[in-house]
Each structure stands twice: as C-alpha cells, then as structure tokens.
Amino acid sequence: MNFILPLAETTTQPKGMSPVVLIIFYVLIFGALYFFMLRPQKKKQKEEKKMRENLQVGDEVVTIGGVYGRVISLKEDTMVIESLSDHSKLTFARWALQTNLTVHDDVPDKKK
C-alpha cells in the first residue's frame, strides 16, 4: 500500500535570518550611515566653527541671508558688518556667517 505523506511533512520550510546575522547586518548599516552621512557633517561643522573663530575686523563676508559686507566690529556672539553697496551697518549673530571671502596667510596651522 502506498502512503501519501502530507506536503507539510515532506518539505522543509526556510527559517528567518538568525539573530547573529541580523545583528551583523544592523551594525554594517549603521557603519555605512556613519561614514557616508554623520562623519562628513561633523567635519563640515568643525570647519565652519574654525572659520567663525578666525574672523577678523576688515574681512569681507557673506551671511546666510545673502548679505555681502565687511566686518567692522566683533563681539563674542555678534558681529557688525557694513554693507558694500550703501555702507549701512547691520548687526548679525556669528552663527549667521556663511562664508569668509578674505584669505588670511597668517593663520597658524595646528598640525605642526
């Protein structure tokens, strides 16, 4: 006599990923996220902070609002710039500085 076995008993069902493989997968994803997104962002923030700290009176700058001007006064958290077109004086927070257009040769390198 032929016995017919149920289909569920004769086939093996694939199991999900093991917990170790899943943890390794998440670690790899986080590592890729760190090296491609978080690390470059932190590097950019350090460069911006260094630029704002090295700001000097007389530097030509651009603010995040697109205002071009020359720095005429510096305080701890603010700066006063004079616009290039009509020479009006405007006060900005230092964090509002986007670009310093003046190149300084006398800025010491900390790599030495």
Side-chain angles (χ1 to χ4, degrees):
M1 217 173 185
N2 286 340
F3 292 106
I4 300 175
L5 296 174
L7 184 61
E9 292 178 15
T10 60
T11 61
T12 58
Q13 295 179 353
K15 295 183 178 181
M17 291 195 302
S18 71
V20 175
V21 173
L22 192 60
I23 290 173
I24 291 173
F25 178 73
Y26 283 134
V27 167
L28 289 175
I29 292 295
F30 180 74
L33 176 74
Y34 175 77
F35 280 107
F36 290 118
M37 295 180 76
L38 299 176
R39 188 170 174 231
Q41 182 65 28
K42 286 184 181 183
K43 184 177 178 182
K44 183 179 176 184
Q45 287 174 347
K46 284 182 183 179
E47 290 174 359
E48 288 176 353
K49 182 179 179 185
K50 182 179 176 184
M51 177 203 44
R52 290 181 181 119
E53 289 173 352
N54 292 332
L55 190 63
Q56 298 175 359
V57 174
D59 287 353
E60 291 188 7
V61 296
V62 180
T63 66
I64 58 174
V67 177
Y68 284 76
R70 181 174 290 117
V71 178
I72 59 172
S73 174
L74 289 171
K75 293 184 182 176
E76 187 174 326
D77 293 332
T78 61
M79 63 181 173
V80 178
I81 67 170
E82 181 180 52
S83 68
L84 297 177
S85 60
D86 61 354
H87 301 290
S88 61
K89 294 179 177 82
L90 305 165
T91 303
F92 288 95
R94 277 203 182 202
W95 60 261
L97 178 65
Q98 180 178 0
T99 308
N100 186 349
L101 300 174
T102 306
V103 178
H104 296 285
D105 293 333
D106 58 347
V107 177
D109 242 356
K110 293 185 180 181
K111 294 180 182 178
K112 293 181 182 180

